[in-house]
């Protein structure tokens, strides 16, 4: 990273001498870059705190933009470039980085409005065009302070027959307090109370630690889609694939609300596109997780690199197309490796500096073939030391739990299989014992 910054500075010094002839301006040079790489998040209603639409919006951030792109903090992306090719990786080139740097250094001029590209027509609301929308029928009340336990709500689909959906988009009613939403398809239970949010009671002490037996966390293997800050809709159309909502199933949302200082309400909705013909392939979301009992999952206070892992074995041929590593504030890194029966190993994704604030999904440019007998192994490390700036408390052991100050290790990934395949028979969850904690 340092080498890159130096190189960029050098090129700038050289091109700086020509700056008088062709000054870099906002209208001509900068705005097109922001439209292509930044406005997806930096616009009103999206996750970035400030919009980057107009010169007035952007001018105060010229220096901050320079710093953010030189360090590659923005646009956010965490995959080690040595492994894998990703269709959703940001495309900011070194030349574009230079343009932004030059602009900031040369006084951040506005330029000639006639050079300005037309504004991008960003979609209002939905990114997909949903054929079916399920919505919480009434608002959930989110308090100003305190812990809201993982809330579940069951919603009817209105579908009367087996239905293949080809994309799923979660739209929180109030993105400030919706930390994540997990979507599952569940068989209809006649006793269900549609639309009534249920929040379990978990006993916690003043620090937020659970008192008494730990409450079992979510059943990840049933999840179909997740909304996390920064994540795009899950879209299977480019793979000619879909997910099946069997007739008579309901939609279960598990929503993690985080209070943000102001009392407010949320009414989350989920949209689906529906296939007219059954697609060729089925997209199956799998969620291997590290063993989570207290003996196996205990991150010692102060440990800078505690290791755990999880693995699955393929029971049939499949194509791996998507990854989404999930940990909390102490998550440090995660690596997914495909191990072939002949002992060959191939690293598919390495996230060397995991950042809890960015729960990104990584879409493989080309599907990775996983044959029957191959294993997918995910290894993760956690930093429970004082050197981790996100660590709320390096002085205590940390266990598995839903809240961000508790921990998790879930190595989500997605595969394509034949449409007729049974999604429960794609892999075997053969849990590897935890490695011995290293000090
Ligand atoms: C995926 C969404 C996303 C994209 C794409 C994105 N940003 Fe951001 N950006 C954010 C969010 C959220 C924050 C606030 C949180 C943070 O600072 O990490 C932010 C913060 C920033 C900041 C303040 C950084 C700081 O250190 O405080 C700058 C500057 C910035 N973005 C510039 C850019 C530029 C330039 C681009 C495009 C080249 C870009 N961002 C693309 C979401 C995004």
């Amino acid at each position: 990273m340092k080498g890159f910054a130096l190189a960029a500075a050098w090129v700038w010094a050289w091109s700086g001498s020509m700056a008088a002839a062709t000054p870099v301006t906002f209208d001509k040079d900068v705005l097109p870059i922001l439209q292509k790489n930044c406005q997806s998040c930096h616009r009103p209603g999206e996750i970035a705190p400030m919009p980057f639409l107009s010169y007035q919006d952007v001018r105060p951030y010229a220096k901050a933009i320079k710093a953010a792109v030189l360090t590659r903090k923005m646009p956010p992306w965490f995959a080690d470039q040595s492994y894998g090719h990703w269709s959703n990786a940001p495309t900011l080139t070194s030349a574009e980085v230079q343009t932004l740097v030059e602009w900031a250094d040369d006084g951040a001029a506005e330029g000639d409005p006639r050079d300005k590209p037309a504004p991008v027509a960003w979609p209002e609301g939905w990114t997909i065009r949903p054929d079916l929308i399920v919505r919480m029928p009434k608002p959930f009340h989110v308090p100003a302070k305190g812990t809201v336990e993982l809330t579940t709500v069951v919603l009817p689909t209105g579908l009367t027959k087996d239905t293949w959906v080809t994309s799923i988009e979660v739209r929180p009613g109030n993105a400030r307090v919706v930390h994540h939403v997990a979507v599952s398809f569940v068989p209809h239970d006649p006793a269900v109370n549609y639309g009534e949010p249920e929040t379990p009671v978990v006993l916690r002490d003043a620090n937020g630690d659970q008192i008494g037996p730990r409450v079992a966390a979510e059943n990840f293997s049933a999840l179909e889609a997740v909304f996390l800050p920064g994540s795009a809709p899950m879209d299977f159309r480019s793979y000619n694939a879909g997910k099946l909502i069997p007739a008579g199933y309901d939609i279960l949302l598990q929503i993690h609300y985080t209070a943000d200082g102001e009392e407010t309400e949320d009414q989350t909705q989920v949209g689906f596109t529906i296939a007219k013909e059954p697609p060729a392939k089925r997209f199956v979301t799998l969620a291997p997780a590290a063993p989570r009992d207290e003996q196996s999952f205990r991150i010692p206070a102060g440990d800078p690199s505690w290791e755990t892992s999880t693995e699955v074995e393929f029971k049939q041929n499949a194509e791996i197309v998507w990854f989404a590593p999930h940990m909390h504030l102490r998550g440090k890194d995660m690596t997914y490796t495909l191990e072939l029966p002949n002992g060959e190993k191939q690293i598919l994704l390495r996230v060397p500096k995991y950042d809890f604030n960015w729960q990104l999904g990584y879409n493989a440019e080309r599907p990775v073939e996983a044959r029957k007998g191959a294993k997918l192994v995910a290894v993760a490390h956690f930093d429970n030391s004082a050197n981790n700036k996100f660590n709320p408390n390096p002085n205590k052991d940390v266990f598995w739990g839903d809240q961000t100050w508790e921990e998790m290790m879930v190595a989500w990934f997605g595969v394509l299989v034949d449409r007729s395949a049974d999604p429960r028979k794609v892999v075997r969850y053969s849990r590897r014992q935890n490695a011995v904690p290293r000090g």
Side-chain angles (χ1 to χ4, degrees):
M1 196 57 67
K2 266 213 183 87
F4 172 79
L6 284 177
W10 182 82
V11 172
W12 169 79
W14 170 78
S15 61
S17 59
M18 308 192 345
T22 52
V24 173
T25 69
F26 179 81
D27 290 335
K28 181 156 63 67
D29 309 294
V30 171
L31 184 56
I33 299 176
L34 303 182
Q35 287 182 337
K36 182 164 69 84
N37 296 283
C38 319
Q39 290 181 358
S40 56
C41 299
H42 287 272
R43 68 177 205 268
E46 295 304 321
I47 59 172
M50 61 287 193
F52 285 166
L53 299 182
S54 68
Y55 180 70
Q56 284 68 30
D57 289 342
V58 180
R59 175 64 187 89
Y61 293 99
K63 288 275 188 278
I65 288 173
K66 171 185 165 181
V69 296
L70 276 179
T71 55
R72 298 267 162 181
K73 184 179 171 199
M74 286 283 151
W77 190 251
F78 300 91
D80 181 334
Q81 292 185 11
S82 324
Y83 308 102
H85 296 279
W86 311 102
S87 60
N88 61 332
T91 56
L92 195 65
T93 64
S94 313
E96 289 167 332
V97 169
Q98 267 168 52
T99 301
L100 296 173
V101 170
E102 254 179 72
W103 180 66
D105 287 343
D106 277 359
E110 180 166 15
D112 184 341
R114 283 170 303 182
D115 292 336
K116 244 203 289 210
V120 178
W122 290 105
E124 268 295 322
W126 299 98
T127 306
I128 62 171
R129 283 166 184 252
D131 299 310
L132 168 70
I133 296 174
V134 297
R135 181 168 198 247
M136 289 165 67
K138 59 182 186 191
F140 179 77
H141 179 84
V142 184
K145 284 199 282 249
T147 304
V148 187
E149 301 297 341
L150 207 63
T151 300
T152 58
V153 56
V154 177
L155 303 168
T157 64
L159 298 170
T160 51
K161 56 180 174 47
D162 284 3
T163 301
W164 288 91
V165 294
T166 52
S167 66
I168 307 176
E169 180 171 1
V170 177
R171 280 208 71 81
N174 186 341
R176 280 196 356 256
V177 291
V178 175
H179 177 271
H180 82 245
V181 180
V183 182
S184 321
F185 309 153
V186 293
H188 179 67
D189 170 357
V192 74
N193 213 343
Y194 277 142
E196 277 304 325
E198 285 184 25
T199 308
V201 176
V202 176
L203 293 177
R204 294 183 183 276
D205 65 18
N207 295 323
D209 290 329
Q210 292 184 25
I211 300 170
R214 251 156 246 291
V215 172
E218 339 175 17
N219 173 13
F220 293 103
S221 53
L223 293 189
E224 301 293 348
V226 265
F227 162 84
L228 299 153
S231 68
M234 292 192 76
D235 197 329
F236 320 118
R237 288 174 285 193
S238 65
Y239 305 123
N240 192 13
K243 279 179 177 287
L244 183 67
I245 306 182
Y249 270 52
D250 294 323
I251 305 294
L252 169 74
L253 303 185
Q254 285 176 309
I255 309 181
H256 180 176
Y257 289 109
T258 40
D260 87 331
E262 259 174 69
E263 210 174 285
T264 183
E265 291 182 335
D266 170 69
Q267 219 166 341
T268 286
Q269 33 184 350
V270 186
F272 301 90
T273 52
I274 293 178
K276 291 193 182 66
E277 301 289 329
K281 291 175 187 168
R282 182 168 188 150
F283 186 101
V284 179
T285 314
L286 298 162
R292 63 183 90 151
D293 59 277
E294 287 187 27
Q295 276 74 43
S296 313
F297 201 98
R298 180 180 141 259
I299 308 177
D303 192 327
S305 196
W306 184 78
E307 181 177 293
T308 186
S309 64
T310 180
E311 68 176 52
V312 293
E313 181 180 329
F314 285 86
K315 295 203 284 182
Q316 62 165 90
N317 296 348
E319 295 171 294
I320 309 177
V321 289
W322 177 79
F323 302 86
H326 179 67
M327 298 179 277
H328 292 172
L329 295 169
R330 291 160 175 98
K332 186 179 181 185
D333 61 58
M334 200 186 288
T335 303
Y336 290 73
T337 306
L338 189 66
E339 295 186 3
L340 306 184
N342 69 6
E344 233 174 86
K345 292 183 185 179
Q346 183 191 357
I347 293 181
L348 302 185
L349 168 68
R350 200 168 96 81
V351 174
K353 271 197 195 149
Y354 179 83
D355 182 335
F356 172 72
N357 296 301
W358 296 104
Q359 304 281 335
L360 301 185
Y362 298 86
N363 302 339
E365 210 159 73
R366 259 170 287 122
V368 178
E369 232 182 279
R371 300 200 150 269
K372 185 177 172 184
K375 285 182 181 169
L376 186 65
V377 179
V379 177
H381 294 95
F382 294 83
D383 184 351
N384 195 12
S385 76
N387 290 330
N388 174 0
K389 68 176 174 187
F390 298 118
N391 193 346
N393 186 351
N395 300 318
K396 70 179 178 195
D397 293 359
V398 176
F399 298 94
W400 185 283
D402 292 331
Q403 299 296 335
T404 58
W405 58 89
E406 303 169 310
E407 267 307 333
M408 269 189 196
M409 187 283 194
V410 185
W412 264 306
F413 72 104
V415 297
L416 304 177
V417 289
D418 196 74
R419 175 177 81 218
S420 57
D422 181 341
R424 287 161 305 180
K425 294 191 177 150
V426 178
V427 296
R428 179 181 299 121
Y429 285 84
S430 46
R431 276 183 189 157
R432 174 179 286 199
Q433 267 310 300
N434 261 13
V436 181
R438 298 180 311 186

